Amino acid sequence: MLRVVVCVSGGGTNLQAIIDGIAQGAVCQTELVRVVCNNPGAYALVRAKEAGIESVCVSPKDYEDRAGFEEALIRSVEEAEPDLIVLAGFMVKVPEKMVKQYENRIINVHPSLIPAFCGTGYYGLRVHEAALARGVKITGATVHFVNEGMDTGPIIKQKAVKVHEGDTPEILQKRVMEEAEWVLLPWCISLIATGHVKVENGRVTVQE
Ligand code: GAR
C-alpha cells in the first residue's frame, strides 16, 4: 500500500475525489494516512473527518516566524511516514528542505496546462481569470512532481478543457475541476501506487 499524505488549504474537492476514488476501487493500492492543512477554517478538514482520515492543522499564525511554521509543517508530514505527498489545493510554497527530502515523492495538481498560467501569483481562481483575460480557447489541468521551483517540476499528466463563450472564472474553474482535476489526480496517484510512473532526467514516463 502506498501511504499518502494529502496537503490542503481550502474546499478540498480534489481531496474528495481521491477519497471517492479509493472507496470505489478506481485508485489502487493507496491508503490516505493523514490530511495536513494550513487553514483551520478549510472545508477540506470536514471532508477528512467524515472520511475518517486523521487530520493535522498547521497554521502559520501559530508560529513566530516562517522557519517555525515550516518546521512544524515538515514534522506533521514526516510523522505520518508517507511514500507520497499530494498537494491538492495547497496554497503554501513547499519548503526547500521538504522538496529535497521527498524528491519525486511530492505531486501537485494545477488548474491550467503548464507552462501556461502558472508560477508565482497563479493559484485558484486567479488562474482562470488570467486564462479568460488572455482569451484562450483551451485550458485544462496538470499533475506534476514538485521541485524547488513554482510549478516547474516534471509533468505526469495533462488534460485539456474547452473554454466556452460567456464563461466566468467560477464557471471555468468548475469545468476544469470536473473534467480534468478530479479525473487526473486520483488516476496519477493510482499509477504511482502501482509502479507505472518513472522519472528520469526531469522527464516522466507513464507505462499504462
Ligand atoms: C484547485 O483548482 C487546484 O487545482 C488549485 O486550487 C483549487 C483547490 O480546490 N490549486 C492551485 O491553484 C495550486 N497552484 P479544492 O480545495 O476544492 O481541491
Side-chain angles (χ1 to χ4, degrees):
M1 288 292 242
L2 189 83
R3 293 175 61 83
V4 174
V5 166
V6 183
C7 297
V8 294
S9 299
T13 64
N14 279 287
L15 167 66
Q16 191 67 55
I18 303 166
I19 292 169
D20 295 346
I22 293 172
Q24 291 155 10
V27 177
C28 309
Q29 295 172 40
T30 298
E31 188 188 354
L32 293 189
V33 292
R34 182 175 276 193
V35 168
V36 171
C37 185
N38 64 314
N39 167 17
Y43 189 69
L45 288 169
V46 176
R47 295 181 191 274
K49 190 163 185 236
E50 281 174 359
I53 304 161
E54 178 198 44
S55 62
V56 175
C57 191
V58 185
S59 168
K61 291 185 186 127
D62 295 335
Y63 299 88
E64 259 180 35
D65 54 18
R66 191 75 190 170
F69 165 66
E70 290 191 345
E71 261 172 47
L73 177 69
I74 294 172
R75 223 178 306 123
S76 72
V77 168
E78 272 174 353
E79 275 168 11
E81 299 181 348
D83 301 309
L84 181 72
I85 300 157
V86 176
L87 311 184
F90 190 52
M91 304 307 179
V92 172
K93 175 134 173 49
V94 177
E96 220 171 285
K97 185 181 162 199
M98 185 166 146
V99 174
K100 288 209 173 80
Q101 191 174 341
Y102 294 97
E103 196 190 3
N104 295 334
R105 287 193 291 152
I106 309 176
I107 65 171
N108 177 48
V109 61
H110 184 78
S112 74
L113 293 174
I114 289 174
F117 313 116
C118 64
T120 306
Y122 289 99
Y123 56 87
L125 212 52
R126 290 181 183 211
V127 177
H128 305 292
E129 284 165 0
L132 290 175
R134 184 62 184 83
V136 295
K137 306 303 177 204
I138 292 174
T139 183
T142 302
V143 176
H144 63 93
F145 284 105
V146 172
N147 64 8
E148 284 82 1
M150 192 67 115
D151 302 326
T152 55
I155 291 171
I156 306 169
K157 279 203 174 284
Q158 297 187 293
K159 192 165 189 286
V161 173
K162 277 186 186 159
V163 178
H164 296 178
E165 204 62 47
D167 272 351
T168 62
E170 290 80 6
I171 290 170
L172 185 57
Q173 178 181 52
K174 187 161 178 282
R175 189 179 312 117
V176 169
M177 284 177 158
E178 282 173 355
E179 292 183 13
E181 297 185 47
W182 301 343
V183 180
L184 282 188
L185 189 59
W187 187 22
C188 286
I189 295 169
S190 193
L191 286 168
I192 291 169
T194 52
H196 288 80
V197 177
K198 303 258 170 305
V199 195
E200 259 173 335
N201 305 323
R203 295 275 193 109
V204 172
T205 39
V206 181
Q207 290 130 9
E208 286 172 58

